[in-house]
Amino acid sequence: GQSLEQPSEVTAVEGAIVQINCTYQTSGFYGLSWYQQHDGGAPTFLSYNALDGLEETGRFSSFLSRSDSYGYLLLQELQMKDSASYFCAVGDDKIIFGKGTRLHILP
Amino acid sequence: NAGVMQNPRHLVRRRGQEARLRCSPMKGHSHVYWYRQLPEEGLKFMVYLQKENIIDESGMPKERFSAEFPKEGPSILRIQQVVRGDSAAYFCASSQLAGGYNEQFFGPGTRLTVL
């Protein structure tokens, strides 16, 4: 089977940096992706890592280590609008999502 | 370039009624996926369709649920004889390509409430 583990909640301060970890078990690995979902909203794609290493997109970066079946999402210069749930996911046509990490940001 | 469209956005049904959820993929996309999300949970894959074909329905309950993506018109997720446990947000996504990783674009979802 396929499964992903990520913390259920993380709290950080506005302007700070936060890291959300994800470990996975899967077969036929195509890469690790990350999605953001605000309350009542649709998931939106943030990043995708097919190879080991760090991918940077503005304030967000994502890291993958295939040998460790581990990845993380790094959010820098946190803004209040970053308060949302973040999901790691694996799969190709059939995406398997983690249960999500709710990010709380304190002013 | 319109994104993925879903309607209705909110749907209320009484137990035993039928629910029909519609999804129009992004222009140029021929692959459609349906996911269900319970409160405080991640999205769960239900079904993957191409035009007129069901490719993978491994996440779809065997009874009461069906999906189609006709040659013309939107994809439809149909739930017959709804029960309270069907209350959830149902998201549709579409992609241009398939096989290997291809970004899926999600619609705003249909929130189904069963009374």
Side-chain angles (χ1 to χ4, degrees):
Chain A
Q2 301 181 88
S3 65
L4 300 100
E5 295 288 331
Q6 55 182 127
S8 58
E9 289 185 279
V10 171
T11 300
V13 179
E14 190 177 13
I17 299 173
V18 72
Q19 178 174 313
I20 299 173
N21 299 318
C22 174
T23 56
Y24 60 87
Q25 286 186 318
T26 183
S27 56
F29 182 71
Y30 286 100
L32 186 71
S33 51
W34 289 91
Y35 287 79
Q36 179 193 60
Q37 186 180 31
H38 287 97
D39 283 347
T44 54
F45 172 82
L46 289 177
S47 69
Y48 169 67
N49 294 65
L51 302 175
D52 290 353
L54 191 67
E55 295 279 343
E56 298 181 60
T57 309
R59 295 187 296 115
F60 293 1
S61 303
S62 56
F63 171 82
L64 175 66
S65 169
R66 287 175 297 173
S67 60
D68 296 321
S69 297
Y70 163 76
Y72 65 72
L73 179 70
L74 191 73
L75 297 83
Q76 303 182 72
E77 300 173 19
L78 284 172
Q79 302 175 10
M80 297 305 292
K81 68 178 182 179
D82 297 329
S83 294
S85 292
Y86 293 84
F87 298 89
C88 57
V90 296
D92 48 349
D93 300 323
K94 175 181 172 179
I95 296 179
I96 307 299
F97 287 84
K99 291 193 173 182
T101 299
R102 192 166 190 89
L103 174 60
H104 303 279
I105 299 177
L106 305 176
Chain B
N1 186 14
V4 178
M5 298 172 66
Q6 290 187 249
N7 69 81
R9 296 291 305 277
H10 299 274
L11 183 61
V12 179
R13 285 287 178 266
R14 297 192 180 278
R15 280 178 297 169
Q17 292 184 319
E18 178 180 287
R20 290 171 69 90
L21 288 61
R22 294 174 185 76
C23 169
S24 296
M26 283 181 69
K27 188 176 180 181
H29 287 193
S30 58
H31 304 270
V32 166
Y33 315 81
W34 286 92
Y35 295 85
R36 176 164 64 176
Q37 185 176 35
L38 296 171
E40 308 301 323
E41 294 273 329
L43 285 82
K44 295 278 194 317
F45 169 83
M46 297 182 75
V47 61
Y48 160 38
L49 310 103
Q50 293 181 31
K51 285 284 186 182
E52 300 183 277
N53 287 306
I54 296 174
I55 307 303
D56 183 345
E57 57 180 347
S58 58
M60 193 99 97
K62 293 287 186 284
E63 297 178 355
R64 303 189 297 108
F65 285 73
S66 61
E68 63 176 7
F69 189 16
K71 188 176 179 181
E72 301 290 337
S75 174
I76 307 283
L77 179 68
R78 183 180 176 209
I79 312 172
Q80 295 178 289
Q81 299 175 322
V82 296
V83 301
R84 289 227 172 99
D86 297 332
S87 295
Y90 292 83
F91 289 95
C92 165
S94 72
S95 68
Q96 189 175 33
L97 301 172
Y101 178 80
N102 291 284
E103 184 179 345
Q104 295 183 13
F105 296 82
F106 284 81
T110 294
R111 273 123 186 109
L112 173 65
T113 302
V114 179
L115 301 178

